[in-house]
């Protein structure tokens, strides 16, 4: 028996239960992994609350780094002792150990600390596909990153700055504004102190931005649309404030806008896509393009407290659970 977090009903952080589970041995094409560090992502709260639907009961968590402790029959390419990372939908990473499909894990380079890898793989791969494939950011572009001090927001700012873009970021506090500046934001807007639409209009001399990366959703969605330039791209990849209201097509026609609601899983569908995406993330960490802030760690048994702190915006950067 090993310990894991289980959810039997949807709701607040209190529905996260710490208990014994039986996981068995790996089957064909599978490995058993003992987790060393588990990434906490805002998407975990969506599963917990039922925003994203999965059958009950379940173990939450989509990201972790661990050591391979057993391999399934006939499996090649993986061996006991390998350090691997994974980030994939509904994997159940909030556990001391678990069974994984071998083709869903990636090797962790020796130059990268397991704590860092666990905190960054999902967020880093999200930043990669948002910046390089969903809308390809290039030198000369001006972008707006909502929640710029968050886990994904921080990486978006750093990466986009390295690509030569002008980066505008929104944050909630002066402390987070300092971090956003350090992450490469050329202009930081504290949205509680000033209207971000007005400020973006001033910064861009009325032209608007090429793309908005919005993980906040309902509270700022309309404002995000208003910040776009002619033929701009609205990339909505989260809804921490709630699901945005429906947008009529006529609202996009005003400036011939593009809008997408992408998910990482659809951009890492094949093994080659997964390896390419993760490889670019690890390469940018190793080269110093990306600085990863593991600002908060919690024992896995205290996952409920970690969720409460994340949802109340008491955290910044990455949060990691330690088994």
């Amino acid at each position: 028996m090993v310990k894991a977090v289980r959810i039997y009903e949807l709701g607040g952080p209190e529905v996260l239960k710490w208990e014994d589970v039986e996981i068995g041995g790996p089957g064909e094409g599978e490995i058993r992994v003992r987790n060393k560090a588990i990434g906490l992502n805002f998407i975990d709260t969506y599963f917990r609350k039922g925003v994203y639907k999965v059958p009950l009961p379940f173990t939450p968590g989509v990201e972790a780094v661990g050591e391979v402790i057993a391999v399934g029959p006939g499996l090649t390419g993986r061996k006991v002792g390998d350090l691997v990372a994974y980030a994939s939908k509904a994997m159940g990473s909030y556990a001391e150990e678990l069974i994984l499909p071998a083709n869903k894990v990636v090797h962790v380079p020796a130059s990268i600390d397991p704590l860092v890898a666990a905190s960054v793989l999902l967020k880093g791969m999200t930043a990669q596909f948002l910046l390089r494939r969903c809308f390809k950011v290039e030198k000369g572009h001006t972008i707006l990153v909502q929640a710029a001090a968050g886990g994904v927001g921080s990486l978006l700012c750093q990466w986009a700055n390295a690509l030569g873009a002008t980066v505008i970021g929104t944050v909630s506090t002066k402390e987070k504004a300092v971090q956003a500046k350090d992450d490469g934001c050329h202009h930081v807007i504290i949205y509680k102190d000033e209207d971000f639409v007005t400020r973006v209009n001033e910064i861009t001399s009325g032209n608007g931005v090429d793309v908005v990366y919005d993980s906040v959703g309902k509270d700022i969605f309309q404002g995000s649309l208003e910040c776009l330039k002619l033929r701009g791209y609205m990339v909505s990849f989260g809804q921490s404030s709630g699901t945005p209201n429906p947008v009529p097509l006529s609202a996009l026609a005003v400036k011939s806008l593009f809008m997408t609601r992408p998910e990482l899983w659809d951009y890492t569908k094949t093994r080659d896509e997964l390896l390419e995406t993760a490889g670019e993330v690890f390469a940018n960490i190793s080269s110093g393009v990306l600085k990863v802030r593991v600002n908060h760690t919690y024992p896995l048994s205290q996952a409920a407290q970690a969720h409460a702190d994340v949802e109340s915006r008491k955290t910044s950067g990455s949060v990691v659970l330690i088994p």
Side-chain angles (χ1 to χ4, degrees):
M1 301 285 280
V2 299
K3 289 285 191 180
V5 174
R6 298 285 286 167
I7 292 178
Y8 293 91
E9 59 179 331
L10 303 177
E14 70 280 356
V15 304
L16 298 172
K17 306 300 182 184
W18 180 242
E19 61 184 35
D20 292 323
V21 296
E22 182 63 58
I23 63 173
E28 187 173 345
E30 294 180 331
I31 55 177
R32 181 165 175 163
V33 174
R34 178 178 295 127
N35 283 333
K36 289 180 173 291
I38 300 159
L40 190 159
N41 295 278
F42 211 90
I43 193 176
D44 300 348
T45 70
Y46 295 162
F47 285 115
R48 192 200 73 223
K49 293 185 289 190
V51 176
Y52 294 163
K53 306 296 183 184
V54 293
L56 292 166
F58 67 95
T59 295
V62 297
E63 173 181 45
V65 167
E67 180 184 352
V68 177
I69 58 173
V71 298
L75 183 67
T76 60
R78 290 283 162 229
K79 64 182 186 300
V80 172
D82 283 352
L83 188 66
V84 297
Y86 59 94
S88 189
K89 193 173 185 179
M91 279 297 194
S93 66
Y94 285 23
E96 292 176 330
E97 298 178 13
L98 75 168
I99 305 296
L100 293 169
N103 66 351
K104 293 296 184 182
V105 306
V106 296
H107 174 71
V108 179
S111 60
I112 298 178
D113 186 284
L115 198 70
V116 170
S119 75
V120 77
L121 185 59
L122 183 134
K123 289 180 277 290
M125 292 200 299
T126 299
Q128 193 275 350
F129 92 81
L130 291 176
L131 291 169
R132 307 308 292 143
R133 290 187 283 161
C134 197
F135 175 90
K136 192 169 184 179
V137 172
E138 297 176 342
K139 185 176 182 179
H141 282 147
T142 300
I143 79 169
L144 174 62
V145 179
Q146 303 283 21
V152 175
S154 170
L155 299 176
L156 285 172
C157 294
Q158 295 177 57
W159 205 326
N161 181 52
L163 291 169
T166 297
V167 184
I168 305 171
T170 66
V171 297
S172 58
T173 67
K174 291 180 179 178
E175 291 76 19
K176 290 183 178 181
V178 171
Q179 177 189 309
K181 269 287 188 184
D182 188 50
D183 283 338
C185 272
H186 301 88
H187 307 276
V188 182
I189 302 167
I190 302 176
Y191 64 82
K192 291 184 177 181
D193 296 343
E194 54 186 339
D195 179 71
F196 74 87
V197 178
T198 300
R199 187 73 186 104
V200 167
N201 193 53
E202 292 171 353
I203 293 167
T204 63
S205 300
N207 293 320
V209 299
D210 293 279
V211 58
V212 175
Y213 292 109
D214 178 14
S215 63
V216 178
K218 185 173 183 177
D219 289 353
I220 63 169
F221 194 83
Q222 183 57 43
S224 291
L225 285 176
E226 293 172 14
C227 289
L228 288 167
K229 69 188 301 184
L230 189 71
R231 301 193 301 273
Y233 279 70
M234 176 67 184
V235 182
S236 171
F237 67 99
Q239 57 261 352
S240 60
S241 69
T243 304
N245 294 324
V247 178
L249 286 175
S250 57
L252 305 182
V254 175
K255 289 189 282 188
S256 295
L257 301 177
F258 297 85
M259 183 165 65
T260 183
R261 178 58 174 88
E263 287 197 2
L264 171 64
W265 332 118
D266 294 327
Y267 284 80
T268 53
K269 205 74 173 176
T270 69
R271 178 69 178 167
D272 286 345
E273 287 175 335
L274 174 62
L275 292 175
E276 180 182 352
T277 307
E280 193 169 348
V281 172
F282 288 146
N284 278 340
I285 294 171
S286 296
S287 68
V289 168
L290 296 179
K291 302 189 300 274
V292 181
R293 294 183 179 84
V294 183
N295 289 346
H296 312 274
T297 61
Y298 297 78
L300 178 57
S301 60
Q302 295 179 18
Q305 184 61 55
H307 272 228
D309 289 349
V310 167
E311 289 185 291
S312 62
R313 301 186 185 277
K314 292 180 179 178
T315 65
S316 64
S318 295
V319 179
V320 174
L321 305 173
I322 307 298

